[in-house]
C-alpha cells in the first residue's frame, strides 16, 4: 500500500462560508437599526498579538461589523486596563469585545475577565459564561473549541461516540474543549491529557480525534496516531530559529485521515466563531 495523505480540515474555506452567512445576518440587523460592533483591548506590543487582533478587525470589515480598537502600552497598570473594560461595558456601539490574552506579567487576568459585562463577552471566557456552559445553559461559547467542532462537522468527521484526546489544559482551549465535546449534541468520549499524563502515547494511539493544544513543538508524532484519525493542530510555539511551530509533526499527515493544518486550520475558525458570538449577541438585543 502506498503512503496515504490526510484530507485537509480547511479552516480558511469554512471560515469564509461562515463569514458569508454572517454578512447577510449583519445586513438584516442593520435594517433593524442595530450595527454590531466588536471591541478589542490589546495591551503591549507583542507582534503576534498585534497580528491576530488586526486579523479580527479585517474580518469585521468583511462582514460589516464595526471595529472598536483600544490599545494600551505594555506598562499599563491594572487600574488603567480596568478603566478601558468599564468604558467598553458602557459603550452602546460596542456589542461585544475581547481582551487579547495573555496580558503582561503582574496583571490579574482573571479579575479583568470578571469585570467584563458577560453579555458582551465575545470570547465566551467570562466566568459567568463558562459556568453557563458547565450548567448546559445558553451562553457565548469559547471560540476555539467551538470552531473545532464546527470544522469537524462541516467536513463530516463523526464526533458522536468518538474517542477524543485533548492535549492541554489551558483556559482558552484545553479546559473548555471537553465541556463542548461531552454535550449530548456531540456525545464524544473525552480523555484530557497534560504535562502530568504518565503515558501520552498510549492515550493518543486510541484516539479517533486528537486536539493538540499543548504548545509543545511536534509533540504529536506519526507513530502515536491511529491510521485514519483526525488530528487538529492548535499549538503555537517558537523554534530555536524563531519560526512558529505547531504541536503536530508534519509526518502525521501520512498516517491521519484528517489534518487541520496550522496555519489554515483552526486559527481562521477561531476568528469566525468570534464574529458569530458578536452577531448572536446583537441578535439577542433586538429580540
Ligand atoms: N482573548 C483572546 N481570545 C483569543 O481568541 C486569543 C487570545 N486572546 N490570545 C491569543 C490567541 C491566539 N488566537 C489566534 C486566532 C487566530 C489565528 C489565526 O487566524 N491564524 C491564522 C494565521 C494568521 C496569520 O498568520 O496571519 C491561521 O491559523 O491560518 C491565530 C491565533 C486567538 N487567541
Amino acid at each position: 500500500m502506498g503512503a496515504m495523505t490526510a484530507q485537509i480540515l480547511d479552516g480558511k474555506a469554512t471560515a469564509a462560508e461562515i463569514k458569508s452567512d454572517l454578512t447577510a445576518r449583519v445586513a438584516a440587523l442593520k435594517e433593524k437599526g442595530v450595527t454590531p460592533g466588536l471591541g478589542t483591548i490589546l495591551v503591549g506590543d507583542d507582534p503576534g498579538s498585534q497580528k491576530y487582533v488586526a486579523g479580527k478587525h479585517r474580518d469585521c470589515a468583511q462582514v460589516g461589523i464595526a471595529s472598536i480598537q483600544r490599545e494600551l502600552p505594555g506598562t499599563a497598570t491594572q487600574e488603567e486596563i480596568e478603566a478601558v473594560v468599564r468604558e467598553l461595558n458602557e459603550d452602546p456601539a460596542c456589542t461585544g469585545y475581547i481582551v487579547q490574552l495573555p496580558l503582561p506579567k503582574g496583571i490579574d487576568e482573571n479579575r479583568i475577565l470578571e469585570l467584563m459585562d458577560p453579555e458582551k463577552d465575545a470570547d465566551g471566557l467570562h466566568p459567568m459564561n463558562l459556568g453557563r456552559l458547565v450548567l448546559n445553559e445558553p451562553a457565548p461559547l469559547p471560540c476555539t473549541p467551538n470552531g473545532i467542532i464546527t470544522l469537524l462537522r462541516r467536513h463530516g468527521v463523526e464526533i458522536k461516540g468518538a474517542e477524543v484526546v485533548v492535549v492541554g489544559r489551558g483556559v482558552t482551549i484545553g479546559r473548555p474543549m471537553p465541556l463542548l465535546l461531552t454535550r449530548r449534541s456531540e456525545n464524544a468520549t473525552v480523555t484530557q491529557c497534560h504535562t502530568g499524563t504518565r503515558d501520552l502515547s498510549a492515550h493518543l494511539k486510541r484516539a479517533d480525534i486528537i486536539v493538540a493544544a499543548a504548545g509543545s513543538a511536534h509533540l504529536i508524532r506519526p507513530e502515536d496516531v491511529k491510521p485514519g484519525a483526525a488530528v487538529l493542530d492548535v499549538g503555537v510555539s517558537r523554534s530555536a530559529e524563531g519560526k512558529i511551530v505547531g504541536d503536530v509533526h508534519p509526518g502525521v499527515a501520512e498516517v491521519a485521515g484528517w489534518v487541520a493544518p496550522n496555519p489554515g486550520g483552526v486559527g481562521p475558525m477561531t476568528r469566525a466563531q468570534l464574529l458569530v458570538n458578536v452577531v448572536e449577541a446583537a441578535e439577542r438585543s433586538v429580540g
Side-chain angles (χ1 to χ4, degrees), residues 1-259:
M1 203 171 71
M4 293 242 308
T5 295
Q7 300 188 71
I8 302 297
L9 294 166
D10 187 343
K12 225 174 151 179
T14 309
E17 288 170 24
I18 293 171
K19 284 191 273 185
S20 122
D21 167 61
L22 289 175
T23 304
R25 287 163 65 182
V26 170
L29 280 165
K30 285 181 178 171
E31 299 223 332
K32 294 180 186 163
V34 175
T35 300
L38 172 70
T40 58
I41 302 178
L42 174 61
V43 185
D45 48 15
D46 175 67
S49 296
Q50 285 174 335
K51 198 165 92 171
Y52 297 149
V53 168
K56 289 166 190 178
H57 291 292
R58 223 181 308 121
D59 293 340
C60 284
Q62 264 180 31
V63 306
I65 295 175
S67 278
I68 300 151
Q69 300 195 46
R70 295 287 179 269
E71 287 182 28
L72 289 98
T75 52
T77 62
Q78 182 86 24
E79 290 69 30
E80 285 166 336
I81 302 171
E82 290 179 7
V84 178
V85 168
R86 289 203 178 84
E87 184 220 322
L88 292 190
N89 282 348
E90 298 302 318
D91 183 353
C94 173
T95 57
Y97 69 99
I98 66 150
V99 179
Q100 184 74 14
L101 304 175
L103 290 169
K105 274 196 189 60
I107 301 294
D108 184 343
E109 219 164 73
N110 286 351
R111 200 182 132 69
I112 304 274
L113 290 175
E114 271 178 45
L115 260 185
M116 295 176 74
D117 177 348
E119 306 311 318
K120 291 191 177 188
D121 169 25
D123 260 334
L125 297 178
H126 187 284
M128 173 80 80
N129 291 321
L130 288 172
R132 286 171 171 153
L133 174 58
V134 172
L135 296 169
N136 284 315
E137 287 168 13
L141 297 172
C143 300
T144 303
N146 202 22
I148 287 170
I149 285 175
T150 306
L151 190 61
L152 291 167
R153 283 204 186 296
R154 298 250 183 152
H155 287 83
V157 177
E158 175 105 286
I159 298 173
K160 190 175 129 214
E163 296 279 346
V164 183
V165 169
V166 175
V167 190
R169 53 182 155 190
V171 171
T172 53
I173 308 165
R175 298 187 76 80
M177 186 84 247
L179 292 171
L180 270 73
L181 285 165
T182 53
R183 294 175 299 185
R184 285 184 192 278
S185 52
E186 274 64 35
N187 257 344
T189 299
V190 183
T191 304
Q192 183 155 39
C193 296
H194 43 71
T195 47
T197 297
R198 209 187 303 143
D199 190 353
L200 175 63
S201 153
H203 292 289
L204 292 174
K205 283 178 174 145
R206 301 180 49 222
D208 302 308
I209 300 172
I210 295 172
V211 177
S216 173
H218 295 178
L219 177 71
I220 312 298
R221 310 196 53 87
E223 60 271 26
D224 292 333
V225 173
K226 181 159 91 175
V231 182
L232 296 103
D233 191 353
V234 207
V236 198
S237 44
R238 241 163 236 281
S239 71
E241 308 87 62
K243 264 185 57 185
I244 305 263
V245 190
D247 280 4
V248 177
H249 187 282
V252 166
E254 308 292 320
V255 184
W258 296 94
V259 167

